[in-house]
Amino acid sequence: MSETYTLTREIPVGDAYDLVVAGGGPAGAAAAICAARLGGKVLLVEAAGCLGGMGATGLVCAFDPMADGEKMLVGGFMRELVETLYRRGFLKPGIDPDSWRKKYHVWTPFSAEGLKLVLDEKALEAKVELRFFTRVIDADTDHKKVRGIVLSSIEGYEYIRSKTFIDATGDAVLSRLCGAPCREAGIDTEHIMPSSLAAVFSNLDWSKKNPGFQNPEGVKLIEEEYEAGNFIQCDRHLVGISQIGNSIGYLNGGHIFGLRAARVKDLTEGMLLGRRIVRDNERFLKKYSPACADMELTATASVMGIRESRRIAGEYELNFDDYMARRQFPDQIGVFNKFVDIHPYDCSREEYDRLVREAFGSDRLNPGECFGIPYSILVPRGFENLWAAGRCASSDVKVHGSIRVMPAAAMMGQAAGTAAVLSVRTGRPAWDLDTRELVETLREAGAYLPQRELSETMTRT
Ligand SMILES: Cc1cc2nc3c(=O)[nH]c(=O)nc-3n(C[C@H](O)[C@H](O)[C@H](O)COP(=O)(O)OP(=O)(O)OC[C@H]3O[C@@H](n4cnc5c(N)ncnc54)[C@H](O)[C@@H]3O)c2cc1C
């Protein structure tokens, strides 16, 4: 940067809170709602005009697996959410509840509009103060203690004080502003998992066949269409279109490789490319999937579907050895069984083969197994009153490939919101919270935490 401009402003100071949550995706919504239910005065600040994050503005309309083939692993707020969506008719028509309560590696498709509505209701019921169309743009931090943050909205800037803060921005935006140590994909790691622009289509005929393309014949078709000039890139990994309504489907297809979520230029170019890729996939699906023959594009997402960007370096970094060991932690706030799902880093055949090997190979946890997600991956190293939940929690690349998804994000959010309230109540900082009390409080709220041993102190590196 050759030139700089010094910005000096006197800005209004708003109300003070027990907790401010930045970002209202699965992690942030769970954090704010669960903290408010425990009596905290909570402000939830969301850049978009709804809650749900990737599941709503991102049009990513399916929850990852929540059971282990025998029982449901994901309890607490996430379980309540999926059950409410089911009762209200917002899940895929005709879905079997065992899909999320019992089955091994089965996704649960939902309506993005249903998710928005149910989260609105739960947030209002819990008396969370919501602020949409508002971004956290700065932080006032004194030695690993956050005093306040600066918000930007159509009304201008505002300074907000709070006793505690949760970063649920997906991209560790608040943690970085607070000076917490972070790692950025592609800079601090070798690769960046690609992004995708999701889309919703209507007028599908679900009584007809909707073949998958993640098989040798499907991949051959993709290669042929690319050779014929019908695809911008030869992206063999077409996840496909899933039913979410009577005649509606959600497309998770096409990748934007090397996109850095912390760069506006990348995001802008990614959206332009993403919309072209959706059209390529639409033509392909109309040709090869009978269910899609007459479908119409209803909407592409208004935000880029980011899988990997920035994560905090936490008190503990959950790693692949922990995953493979099915490690259980005394301070675990959730357990999970989902394979390491790292989408191809580029369009090469080698990368596609790597994905298939990893997703279906021996690294998969078996039915009945799970690994633990410890509290300490939510705490930026040494911080007193800041937590990071969801996609930006602390893990290595491989474990991130498993826990980056919505059910795990919601479990982390609920734990961070609960921890913030306990911290306010007891005066104990994030880095020294009584994790025995945290686990017991989460269990009371319906979390499934099977560890036998509890510990007052968290797991550390
Ligand atoms: C294409 C794609 C397909 C996926 N498929 C699945 C799937 O099938 N199943 C599944 O469970 N998961 C899936 N995922 C993963 C999952 O959707 C996300 O990783 C998950 O939503 C992460 O939750 P989060 O709350 O951490 O972040 P997000 O959902 O990203 O929410 C973050 C929120 O923070 C807000 N925000 C960001 N910056 C600021 C700021 N400065 N101030 C205020 N607000 C801010 C954003 O607007 C957003 O609402 C997929 C992801 C992608 C991209």
Side-chain angles (χ1 to χ4, degrees), residues 274-321:
R275 288 193 273 268
R276 291 175 61 200
I277 291 174
V278 167
R279 287 297 186 180
D280 279 359
N281 280 316
E282 179 184 359
R283 276 192 299 272
F284 179 84
L285 290 165
K286 278 180 164 167
K287 192 164 165 187
Y288 294 109
S289 168
C292 300
D294 298 317
M295 72 182 185
E296 293 170 47
L297 178 59
T298 306
T300 54
S302 53
V303 293
M304 179 47 67
I306 303 295
R307 292 193 176 81
E308 187 186 16
S309 54
R310 207 190 281 121
R311 298 192 283 284
I312 60 156
E315 288 285 353
Y316 187 68
E317 185 181 86
L318 193 59
N319 62 64
F320 189 55
D321 288 342

mmCIF file of all heavy atoms in Angstrom, residues 274-321:
data_model
loop_
_atom_site.group_PDB
_atom_site.id
_atom_site.type_symbol
_atom_site.label_atom_id
_atom_site.label_comp_id
_atom_site.label_asym_id
_atom_site.label_seq_id
_atom_site.Cartn_x
_atom_site.Cartn_y
_atom_site.Cartn_z
ATOM 1 N N GLY A 274 -18.658 -18.142 -10.528
ATOM 2 C CA GLY A 274 -19.609 -19.086 -9.930
ATOM 3 C C GLY A 274 -20.933 -19.102 -10.678
ATOM 4 O O GLY A 274 -21.506 -20.165 -10.927
ATOM 5 N N ARG A 275 -21.423 -17.924 -11.060
ATOM 6 C CA ARG A 275 -22.718 -17.880 -11.765
ATOM 7 C C ARG A 275 -22.605 -18.536 -13.149
ATOM 8 O O ARG A 275 -23.563 -19.144 -13.623
ATOM 9 C CB ARG A 275 -23.206 -16.436 -11.863
ATOM 10 C CG ARG A 275 -23.668 -15.907 -10.508
ATOM 11 C CD ARG A 275 -24.438 -14.619 -10.614
ATOM 12 N NE ARG A 275 -23.591 -13.441 -10.608
ATOM 13 C CZ ARG A 275 -23.242 -12.756 -9.511
ATOM 14 N NH1 ARG A 275 -23.648 -13.152 -8.337
ATOM 15 N NH2 ARG A 275 -22.473 -11.692 -9.598
ATOM 16 N N ARG A 276 -21.442 -18.436 -13.779
ATOM 17 C CA ARG A 276 -21.274 -19.128 -15.080
ATOM 18 C C ARG A 276 -21.219 -20.642 -14.872
ATOM 19 O O ARG A 276 -21.780 -21.413 -15.654
ATOM 20 C CB ARG A 276 -19.984 -18.634 -15.753
ATOM 21 C CG ARG A 276 -20.078 -17.184 -16.219
ATOM 22 C CD ARG A 276 -18.759 -16.694 -16.754
ATOM 23 N NE ARG A 276 -18.303 -17.453 -17.903
ATOM 24 C CZ ARG A 276 -17.022 -17.481 -18.320
ATOM 25 N NH1 ARG A 276 -16.103 -16.783 -17.677
ATOM 26 N NH2 ARG A 276 -16.682 -18.180 -19.368
ATOM 27 N N ILE A 277 -20.546 -21.049 -13.797
ATOM 28 C CA ILE A 277 -20.425 -22.487 -13.527
ATOM 29 C C ILE A 277 -21.803 -23.099 -13.234
ATOM 30 O O ILE A 277 -22.106 -24.214 -13.666
ATOM 31 C CB ILE A 277 -19.440 -22.731 -12.350
ATOM 32 C CG1 ILE A 277 -18.012 -22.382 -12.786
ATOM 33 C CG2 ILE A 277 -19.509 -24.157 -11.850
ATOM 34 C CD1 ILE A 277 -16.977 -22.453 -11.680
ATOM 35 N N VAL A 278 -22.640 -22.348 -12.515
ATOM 36 C CA VAL A 278 -23.999 -22.857 -12.226
ATOM 37 C C VAL A 278 -24.725 -23.120 -13.546
ATOM 38 O O VAL A 278 -25.395 -24.145 -13.717
ATOM 39 C CB VAL A 278 -24.780 -21.856 -11.342
ATOM 40 C CG1 VAL A 278 -26.262 -22.206 -11.311
ATOM 41 C CG2 VAL A 278 -24.217 -21.853 -9.917
ATOM 42 N N ARG A 279 -24.594 -22.212 -14.508
ATOM 43 C CA ARG A 279 -25.262 -22.399 -15.809
ATOM 44 C C ARG A 279 -24.721 -23.626 -16.543
ATOM 45 O O ARG A 279 -25.474 -24.376 -17.169
ATOM 46 C CB ARG A 279 -25.096 -21.140 -16.671
ATOM 47 C CG ARG A 279 -25.940 -19.969 -16.191
ATOM 48 C CD ARG A 279 -27.421 -20.313 -16.289
ATOM 49 N NE ARG A 279 -28.258 -19.174 -15.962
ATOM 50 C CZ ARG A 279 -29.581 -19.200 -15.961
ATOM 51 N NH1 ARG A 279 -30.232 -20.296 -16.254
ATOM 52 N NH2 ARG A 279 -30.278 -18.139 -15.659
ATOM 53 N N ASP A 280 -23.388 -23.845 -16.461
ATOM 54 C CA ASP A 280 -22.803 -25.062 -17.071
ATOM 55 C C ASP A 280 -23.433 -26.306 -16.464
ATOM 56 O O ASP A 280 -23.816 -27.249 -17.169
ATOM 57 C CB ASP A 280 -21.291 -25.135 -16.774
ATOM 58 C CG ASP A 280 -20.482 -24.260 -17.713
ATOM 59 O OD1 ASP A 280 -21.071 -23.620 -18.597
ATOM 60 O OD2 ASP A 280 -19.242 -24.230 -17.550
ATOM 61 N N ASN A 281 -23.512 -26.300 -15.127
ATOM 62 C CA ASN A 281 -24.064 -27.473 -14.438
ATOM 63 C C ASN A 281 -25.537 -27.656 -14.750
ATOM 64 O O ASN A 281 -26.025 -28.780 -14.845
ATOM 65 C CB ASN A 281 -23.836 -27.351 -12.929
ATOM 66 C CG ASN A 281 -22.419 -27.745 -12.549
ATOM 67 O OD1 ASN A 281 -21.894 -28.740 -13.039
ATOM 68 N ND2 ASN A 281 -21.777 -26.952 -11.715
ATOM 69 N N GLU A 282 -26.239 -26.535 -14.898
ATOM 70 C CA GLU A 282 -27.668 -26.614 -15.241
ATOM 71 C C GLU A 282 -27.837 -27.329 -16.589
ATOM 72 O O GLU A 282 -28.638 -28.262 -16.717
ATOM 73 C CB GLU A 282 -28.251 -25.199 -15.316
ATOM 74 C CG GLU A 282 -29.718 -25.180 -15.685
ATOM 75 C CD GLU A 282 -30.266 -23.765 -15.857
ATOM 76 O OE1 GLU A 282 -29.511 -22.785 -15.674
ATOM 77 O OE2 GLU A 282 -31.453 -23.649 -16.208
ATOM 78 N N ARG A 283 -27.052 -26.919 -17.587
ATOM 79 C CA ARG A 283 -27.155 -27.554 -18.919
ATOM 80 C C ARG A 283 -26.846 -29.043 -18.830
ATOM 81 O O ARG A 283 -27.533 -29.885 -19.399
ATOM 82 C CB ARG A 283 -26.172 -26.880 -19.894
ATOM 83 C CG ARG A 283 -26.709 -25.617 -20.540
ATOM 84 C CD ARG A 283 -25.817 -25.172 -21.685
ATOM 85 N NE ARG A 283 -24.470 -24.858 -21.246
ATOM 86 C CZ ARG A 283 -24.081 -23.659 -20.802
ATOM 87 N NH1 ARG A 283 -24.939 -22.671 -20.743
ATOM 88 N NH2 ARG A 283 -22.842 -23.445 -20.413
ATOM 89 N N PHE A 284 -25.798 -29.362 -18.063
ATOM 90 C CA PHE A 284 -25.361 -30.750 -17.916
ATOM 91 C C PHE A 284 -26.461 -31.586 -17.256
ATOM 92 O O PHE A 284 -26.814 -32.672 -17.742
ATOM 93 C CB PHE A 284 -24.069 -30.780 -17.079
ATOM 94 C CG PHE A 284 -23.530 -32.157 -16.824
ATOM 95 C CD1 PHE A 284 -22.719 -32.793 -17.756
ATOM 96 C CD2 PHE A 284 -23.830 -32.836 -15.646
ATOM 97 C CE1 PHE A 284 -22.213 -34.065 -17.514
ATOM 98 C CE2 PHE A 284 -23.339 -34.110 -15.403
ATOM 99 C CZ PHE A 284 -22.529 -34.726 -16.341
ATOM 100 N N LEU A 285 -27.008 -31.069 -16.169
ATOM 101 C CA LEU A 285 -28.019 -31.839 -15.428
ATOM 102 C C LEU A 285 -29.295 -32.009 -16.239
ATOM 103 O O LEU A 285 -29.930 -33.075 -16.215
ATOM 104 C CB LEU A 285 -28.320 -31.165 -14.086
ATOM 105 C CG LEU A 285 -27.181 -31.249 -13.061
ATOM 106 C CD1 LEU A 285 -27.397 -30.271 -11.913
ATOM 107 C CD2 LEU A 285 -27.045 -32.674 -12.514
ATOM 108 N N LYS A 286 -29.676 -30.964 -16.995
ATOM 109 C CA LYS A 286 -30.887 -31.078 -17.824
ATOM 110 C C LYS A 286 -30.715 -32.198 -18.849
ATOM 111 O O LYS A 286 -31.661 -32.908 -19.195
ATOM 112 C CB LYS A 286 -31.149 -29.765 -18.547
ATOM 113 C CG LYS A 286 -31.855 -28.745 -17.667
ATOM 114 C CD LYS A 286 -32.079 -27.462 -18.424
ATOM 115 C CE LYS A 286 -33.085 -26.587 -17.733
ATOM 116 N NZ LYS A 286 -33.124 -25.235 -18.257
ATOM 117 N N LYS A 287 -29.478 -32.344 -19.311
ATOM 118 C CA LYS A 287 -29.200 -33.351 -20.345
ATOM 119 C C LYS A 287 -29.141 -34.763 -19.763
ATOM 120 O O LYS A 287 -29.641 -35.707 -20.359
ATOM 121 C CB LYS A 287 -27.858 -32.993 -20.992
ATOM 122 C CG LYS A 287 -27.514 -33.708 -22.250
ATOM 123 C CD LYS A 287 -26.378 -32.962 -22.954
ATOM 124 C CE LYS A 287 -25.741 -33.794 -24.029
ATOM 125 N NZ LYS A 287 -24.544 -33.124 -24.572
ATOM 126 N N TYR A 288 -28.539 -34.906 -18.565
ATOM 127 C CA TYR A 288 -28.233 -36.257 -18.076
ATOM 128 C C TYR A 288 -29.060 -36.713 -16.880
ATOM 129 O O TYR A 288 -28.992 -37.875 -16.500
ATOM 130 C CB TYR A 288 -26.744 -36.364 -17.729
ATOM 131 C CG TYR A 288 -25.869 -36.242 -18.957
ATOM 132 C CD1 TYR A 288 -25.089 -35.106 -19.166
ATOM 133 C CD2 TYR A 288 -25.843 -37.260 -19.914
ATOM 134 C CE1 TYR A 288 -24.294 -34.988 -20.296
ATOM 135 C CE2 TYR A 288 -25.056 -37.151 -21.053
ATOM 136 C CZ TYR A 288 -24.281 -36.013 -21.235
ATOM 137 O OH TYR A 288 -23.515 -35.914 -22.359
ATOM 138 N N SER A 289 -29.801 -35.810 -16.241
ATOM 139 C CA SER A 289 -30.644 -36.239 -15.109
ATOM 140 C C SER A 289 -32.112 -36.053 -15.489
ATOM 141 O O SER A 289 -32.595 -34.918 -15.607
ATOM 142 C CB SER A 289 -30.333 -35.407 -13.859
ATOM 143 O OG SER A 289 -31.328 -35.634 -12.890
ATOM 144 N N PRO A 290 -32.871 -37.150 -15.667
ATOM 145 C CA PRO A 290 -34.285 -37.016 -16.047
ATOM 146 C C PRO A 290 -35.072 -36.129 -15.086
ATOM 147 O O PRO A 290 -35.954 -35.382 -15.505
ATOM 148 C CB PRO A 290 -34.790 -38.463 -16.009
ATOM 149 C CG PRO A 290 -33.563 -39.301 -16.243
ATOM 150 C CD PRO A 290 -32.421 -38.554 -15.622
ATOM 151 N N ALA A 291 -34.743 -36.176 -13.792
ATOM 152 C CA ALA A 291 -35.471 -35.340 -12.816
ATOM 153 C C ALA A 291 -35.278 -33.855 -13.103
ATOM 154 O O ALA A 291 -36.108 -33.017 -12.748
ATOM 155 C CB ALA A 291 -34.992 -35.668 -11.400
ATOM 156 N N CYS A 292 -34.177 -33.508 -13.743
ATOM 157 C CA CYS A 292 -33.809 -32.091 -13.932
ATOM 158 C C CYS A 292 -34.185 -31.547 -15.317
ATOM 159 O O CYS A 292 -33.932 -30.363 -15.599
ATOM 160 C CB CYS A 292 -32.298 -31.917 -13.750
ATOM 161 S SG CYS A 292 -31.701 -32.400 -12.132
ATOM 162 N N ALA A 293 -34.762 -32.383 -16.149
ATOM 163 C CA ALA A 293 -34.937 -32.024 -17.568
ATOM 164 C C ALA A 293 -35.606 -30.663 -17.765
ATOM 165 O O ALA A 293 -35.217 -29.889 -18.637
ATOM 166 C CB ALA A 293 -35.733 -33.124 -18.274
ATOM 167 N N ASP A 294 -36.610 -30.333 -16.955
ATOM 168 C CA ASP A 294 -37.351 -29.071 -17.137
ATOM 169 C C ASP A 294 -37.090 -28.065 -16.025
ATOM 170 O O ASP A 294 -37.879 -27.140 -15.823
ATOM 171 C CB ASP A 294 -38.866 -29.367 -17.188
ATOM 172 C CG ASP A 294 -39.202 -30.256 -18.370
ATOM 173 O OD1 ASP A 294 -38.665 -29.995 -19.456
ATOM 174 O OD2 ASP A 294 -39.964 -31.224 -18.184
ATOM 175 N N MET A 295 -36.027 -28.260 -15.280
ATOM 176 C CA MET A 295 -35.840 -27.388 -14.107
ATOM 177 C C MET A 295 -35.509 -25.953 -14.518
ATOM 178 O O MET A 295 -35.024 -25.685 -15.617
ATOM 179 C CB MET A 295 -34.743 -27.949 -13.190
ATOM 180 C CG MET A 295 -33.349 -27.840 -13.704
ATOM 181 S SD MET A 295 -32.222 -28.604 -12.498
ATOM 182 C CE MET A 295 -30.650 -28.198 -13.272
ATOM 183 N N GLU A 296 -35.828 -25.040 -13.580
ATOM 184 C CA GLU A 296 -35.560 -23.617 -13.820
ATOM 185 C C GLU A 296 -34.725 -23.076 -12.675
ATOM 186 O O GLU A 296 -34.999 -23.383 -11.508
ATOM 187 C CB GLU A 296 -36.875 -22.833 -13.865
ATOM 188 C CG GLU A 296 -37.742 -23.168 -15.058
ATOM 189 C CD GLU A 296 -39.126 -22.546 -14.915
ATOM 190 O OE1 GLU A 296 -39.217 -21.352 -14.581
ATOM 191 O OE2 GLU A 296 -40.101 -23.287 -15.093
ATOM 192 N N LEU A 297 -33.761 -22.269 -13.022
ATOM 193 C CA LEU A 297 -32.905 -21.676 -11.988
ATOM 194 C C LEU A 297 -33.723 -20.645 -11.213
ATOM 195 O O LEU A 297 -34.257 -19.697 -11.788
ATOM 196 C CB LEU A 297 -31.684 -21.011 -12.627
ATOM 197 C CG LEU A 297 -30.738 -20.302 -11.669
ATOM 198 C CD1 LEU A 297 -30.173 -21.238 -10.614
ATOM 199 C CD2 LEU A 297 -29.589 -19.641 -12.438
ATOM 200 N N THR A 298 -33.826 -20.834 -9.902
ATOM 201 C CA THR A 298 -34.585 -19.907 -9.059
ATOM 202 C C THR A 298 -33.661 -18.846 -8.472
ATOM 203 O O THR A 298 -33.961 -17.661 -8.497
ATOM 204 C CB THR A 298 -35.270 -20.682 -7.907
ATOM 205 O OG1 THR A 298 -36.024 -21.725 -8.494
ATOM 206 C CG2 THR A 298 -36.169 -19.794 -7.090
ATOM 207 N N ALA A 299 -32.532 -19.281 -7.923
ATOM 208 C CA ALA A 299 -31.603 -18.305 -7.332
ATOM 209 C C ALA A 299 -30.225 -18.920 -7.167
ATOM 210 O O ALA A 299 -30.108 -20.102 -6.807
ATOM 211 C CB ALA A 299 -32.114 -17.864 -5.972
ATOM 212 N N THR A 300 -29.228 -18.124 -7.432
ATOM 213 C CA THR A 300 -27.884 -18.492 -6.975
ATOM 214 C C THR A 300 -27.689 -17.784 -5.632
ATOM 215 O O THR A 300 -28.349 -16.782 -5.352
ATOM 216 C CB THR A 300 -26.790 -18.040 -7.961
ATOM 217 O OG1 THR A 300 -26.950 -16.638 -8.198
ATOM 218 C CG2 THR A 300 -26.868 -18.798 -9.270
ATOM 219 N N ALA A 301 -26.798 -18.301 -4.812
ATOM 220 C CA ALA A 301 -26.578 -17.696 -3.492
ATOM 221 C C ALA A 301 -26.044 -16.274 -3.659
ATOM 222 O O ALA A 301 -25.373 -15.965 -4.650
ATOM 223 C CB ALA A 301 -25.599 -18.547 -2.696
ATOM 224 N N SER A 302 -26.349 -15.440 -2.661
ATOM 225 C CA SER A 302 -25.869 -14.059 -2.736
ATOM 226 C C SER A 302 -24.514 -13.905 -2.050
ATOM 227 O O SER A 302 -23.966 -12.809 -2.014
ATOM 228 C CB SER A 302 -26.892 -13.105 -2.113
ATOM 229 O OG SER A 302 -27.197 -13.560 -0.818
ATOM 230 N N VAL A 303 -24.011 -14.980 -1.488
ATOM 231 C CA VAL A 303 -22.648 -14.960 -0.931
ATOM 232 C C VAL A 303 -21.875 -16.172 -1.451
ATOM 233 O O VAL A 303 -22.473 -17.203 -1.771
ATOM 234 C CB VAL A 303 -22.635 -15.004 0.622
ATOM 235 C CG1 VAL A 303 -23.209 -13.725 1.212
ATOM 236 C CG2 VAL A 303 -23.372 -16.226 1.156
ATOM 237 N N MET A 304 -20.571 -16.016 -1.498
ATOM 238 C CA MET A 304 -19.743 -17.133 -1.945
ATOM 239 C C MET A 304 -19.759 -18.246 -0.890
ATOM 240 O O MET A 304 -19.732 -17.960 0.307
ATOM 241 C CB MET A 304 -18.306 -16.601 -2.159
ATOM 242 C CG MET A 304 -17.308 -17.631 -2.612
ATOM 243 S SD MET A 304 -17.877 -18.677 -3.972
ATOM 244 C CE MET A 304 -17.989 -17.504 -5.310
ATOM 245 N N GLY A 305 -19.796 -19.469 -1.347
ATOM 246 C CA GLY A 305 -19.747 -20.615 -0.430
ATOM 247 C C GLY A 305 -18.308 -20.933 -0.072
ATOM 248 O O GLY A 305 -17.608 -21.642 -0.798
ATOM 249 N N ILE A 306 -17.891 -20.398 1.052
ATOM 250 C CA ILE A 306 -16.486 -20.566 1.484
ATOM 251 C C ILE A 306 -16.361 -21.815 2.342
ATOM 252 O O ILE A 306 -17.086 -21.962 3.337
ATOM 253 C CB ILE A 306 -16.031 -19.338 2.325
ATOM 254 C CG1 ILE A 306 -16.196 -18.038 1.535
ATOM 255 C CG2 ILE A 306 -14.601 -19.513 2.818
ATOM 256 C CD1 ILE A 306 -15.329 -17.922 0.327
ATOM 257 N N ARG A 307 -15.453 -22.684 1.976
ATOM 258 C CA ARG A 307 -15.232 -23.876 2.803
ATOM 259 C C ARG A 307 -14.085 -23.669 3.782
ATOM 260 O O ARG A 307 -14.076 -24.205 4.878
ATOM 261 C CB ARG A 307 -14.935 -25.100 1.929
ATOM 262 C CG ARG A 307 -16.123 -25.547 1.116
ATOM 263 C CD ARG A 307 -15.905 -26.914 0.507
ATOM 264 N NE ARG A 307 -17.118 -27.338 -0.181
ATOM 265 C CZ ARG A 307 -17.459 -26.948 -1.415
ATOM 266 N NH1 ARG A 307 -16.647 -26.153 -2.104
ATOM 267 N NH2 ARG A 307 -18.585 -27.348 -1.954
ATOM 268 N N GLU A 308 -13.080 -22.922 3.362
ATOM 269 C CA GLU A 308 -11.900 -22.769 4.223
ATOM 270 C C GLU A 308 -11.315 -21.378 4.031
ATOM 271 O O GLU A 308 -11.144 -20.925 2.885
ATOM 272 C CB GLU A 308 -10.850 -23.821 3.847
ATOM 273 C CG GLU A 308 -9.680 -23.848 4.801
ATOM 274 C CD GLU A 308 -8.570 -24.802 4.354
ATOM 275 O OE1 GLU A 308 -8.555 -25.209 3.179
ATOM 276 O OE2 GLU A 308 -7.708 -25.092 5.198
ATOM 277 N N SER A 309 -11.041 -20.703 5.131
ATOM 278 C CA SER A 309 -10.415 -19.375 5.018
ATOM 279 C C SER A 309 -9.417 -19.203 6.163
ATOM 280 O O SER A 309 -8.277 -19.664 6.077
ATOM 281 C CB SER A 309 -11.465 -18.271 5.012
ATOM 282 O OG SER A 309 -12.307 -18.374 6.148
ATOM 283 N N ARG A 310 -9.866 -18.587 7.252
ATOM 284 C CA ARG A 310 -8.964 -18.321 8.368
ATOM 285 C C ARG A 310 -9.476 -19.021 9.613
ATOM 286 O O ARG A 310 -10.674 -19.049 9.853
ATOM 287 C CB ARG A 310 -8.931 -16.813 8.609
ATOM 288 C CG ARG A 310 -7.679 -16.309 9.233
ATOM 289 C CD ARG A 310 -7.826 -14.870 9.647
ATOM 290 N NE ARG A 310 -7.696 -13.913 8.581
ATOM 291 C CZ ARG A 310 -8.653 -13.027 8.236
ATOM 292 N NH1 ARG A 310 -9.813 -12.995 8.865
ATOM 293 N NH2 ARG A 310 -8.453 -12.177 7.271
ATOM 294 N N ARG A 311 -8.546 -19.594 10.374
ATOM 295 C CA ARG A 311 -8.930 -20.229 11.649
ATOM 296 C C ARG A 311 -8.052 -19.659 12.752
ATOM 297 O O ARG A 311 -6.921 -19.247 12.495
ATOM 298 C CB ARG A 311 -8.671 -21.750 11.603
ATOM 299 C CG ARG A 311 -9.457 -22.479 10.584
ATOM 300 C CD ARG A 311 -9.367 -23.993 10.780
ATOM 301 N NE ARG A 311 -8.119 -24.584 10.311
ATOM 302 C CZ ARG A 311 -7.835 -24.799 9.037
ATOM 303 N NH1 ARG A 311 -8.680 -24.442 8.091
ATOM 304 N NH2 ARG A 311 -6.691 -25.361 8.691
ATOM 305 N N ILE A 312 -8.567 -19.683 13.971
ATOM 306 C CA ILE A 312 -7.737 -19.214 15.074
ATOM 307 C C ILE A 312 -6.700 -20.281 15.426
ATOM 308 O O ILE A 312 -6.886 -21.472 15.140
ATOM 309 C CB ILE A 312 -8.566 -18.905 16.343
ATOM 310 C CG1 ILE A 312 -9.317 -20.158 16.840
ATOM 311 C CG2 ILE A 312 -9.520 -17.744 16.100
ATOM 312 C CD1 ILE A 312 -9.672 -20.134 18.311
ATOM 313 N N ALA A 313 -5.616 -19.845 16.054
ATOM 314 C CA ALA A 313 -4.709 -20.784 16.712
ATOM 315 C C ALA A 313 -5.179 -20.795 18.158
ATOM 316 O O ALA A 313 -5.021 -19.813 18.890
ATOM 317 C CB ALA A 313 -3.281 -20.303 16.604
ATOM 318 N N GLY A 314 -5.796 -21.873 18.553
ATOM 319 C CA GLY A 314 -6.451 -21.918 19.866
ATOM 320 C C GLY A 314 -5.560 -22.497 20.944
ATOM 321 O O GLY A 314 -4.408 -22.893 20.699
ATOM 322 N N GLU A 315 -6.119 -22.582 22.127
ATOM 323 C CA GLU A 315 -5.403 -23.216 23.251
ATOM 324 C C GLU A 315 -5.057 -24.661 22.883
ATOM 325 O O GLU A 315 -4.079 -25.205 23.364
ATOM 326 C CB GLU A 315 -6.274 -23.178 24.506
ATOM 327 C CG GLU A 315 -6.408 -21.800 25.118
ATOM 328 C CD GLU A 315 -5.147 -21.369 25.871
ATOM 329 O OE1 GLU A 315 -4.225 -22.181 26.037
ATOM 330 O OE2 GLU A 315 -5.102 -20.196 26.284
ATOM 331 N N TYR A 316 -5.901 -25.270 22.047
ATOM 332 C CA TYR A 316 -5.567 -26.589 21.511
ATOM 333 C C TYR A 316 -5.931 -26.606 20.033
ATOM 334 O O TYR A 316 -6.894 -25.936 19.622
ATOM 335 C CB TYR A 316 -6.353 -27.693 22.231
ATOM 336 C CG TYR A 316 -5.921 -29.080 21.820
ATOM 337 C CD1 TYR A 316 -4.657 -29.566 22.165
ATOM 338 C CD2 TYR A 316 -6.750 -29.900 21.060
ATOM 339 C CE1 TYR A 316 -4.240 -30.829 21.768
ATOM 340 C CE2 TYR A 316 -6.346 -31.174 20.666
ATOM 341 C CZ TYR A 316 -5.086 -31.631 21.023
ATOM 342 O OH TYR A 316 -4.666 -32.879 20.627
ATOM 343 N N GLU A 317 -5.135 -27.326 19.236
ATOM 344 C CA GLU A 317 -5.488 -27.497 17.832
ATOM 345 C C GLU A 317 -5.861 -28.961 17.628
ATOM 346 O O GLU A 317 -5.027 -29.855 17.793
ATOM 347 C CB GLU A 317 -4.308 -27.125 16.932
ATOM 348 C CG GLU A 317 -4.682 -27.170 15.471
ATOM 349 C CD GLU A 317 -3.516 -26.819 14.556
ATOM 350 O OE1 GLU A 317 -2.731 -27.735 14.225
ATOM 351 O OE2 GLU A 317 -3.402 -25.646 14.184
ATOM 352 N N LEU A 318 -7.115 -29.203 17.320
ATOM 353 C CA LEU A 318 -7.575 -30.584 17.119
ATOM 354 C C LEU A 318 -6.902 -31.122 15.855
ATOM 355 O O LEU A 318 -6.903 -30.448 14.819
ATOM 356 C CB LEU A 318 -9.104 -30.591 16.971
ATOM 357 C CG LEU A 318 -9.797 -31.941 17.066
ATOM 358 C CD1 LEU A 318 -9.524 -32.633 18.400
ATOM 359 C CD2 LEU A 318 -11.309 -31.775 16.886
ATOM 360 N N ASN A 319 -6.317 -32.323 15.956
ATOM 361 C CA ASN A 319 -5.524 -32.785 14.807
ATOM 362 C C ASN A 319 -5.940 -34.174 14.342
ATOM 363 O O ASN A 319 -6.709 -34.874 15.002
ATOM 364 C CB ASN A 319 -4.026 -32.726 15.151
ATOM 365 C CG ASN A 319 -3.689 -33.639 16.311
ATOM 366 O OD1 ASN A 319 -3.828 -34.851 16.207
ATOM 367 N ND2 ASN A 319 -3.288 -33.056 17.444
ATOM 368 N N PHE A 320 -5.377 -34.533 13.189
ATOM 369 C CA PHE A 320 -5.772 -35.763 12.520
ATOM 370 C C PHE A 320 -5.465 -37.006 13.366
ATOM 371 O O PHE A 320 -6.194 -37.998 13.306
ATOM 372 C CB PHE A 320 -5.084 -35.829 11.157
ATOM 373 C CG PHE A 320 -5.577 -36.946 10.291
ATOM 374 C CD1 PHE A 320 -6.924 -37.080 9.988
ATOM 375 C CD2 PHE A 320 -4.686 -37.879 9.764
ATOM 376 C CE1 PHE A 320 -7.383 -38.125 9.191
ATOM 377 C CE2 PHE A 320 -5.130 -38.914 8.960
ATOM 378 C CZ PHE A 320 -6.477 -39.044 8.674
ATOM 379 N N ASP A 321 -4.397 -36.946 14.181
ATOM 380 C CA ASP A 321 -4.104 -38.090 15.058
ATOM 381 C C ASP A 321 -5.235 -38.283 16.068
ATOM 382 O O ASP A 321 -5.614 -39.412 16.379
ATOM 383 C CB ASP A 321 -2.783 -37.874 15.821
ATOM 384 C CG ASP A 321 -1.586 -37.994 14.888
ATOM 385 O OD1 ASP A 321 -1.754 -38.572 13.794
ATOM 386 O OD2 ASP A 321 -0.510 -37.480 15.237
#
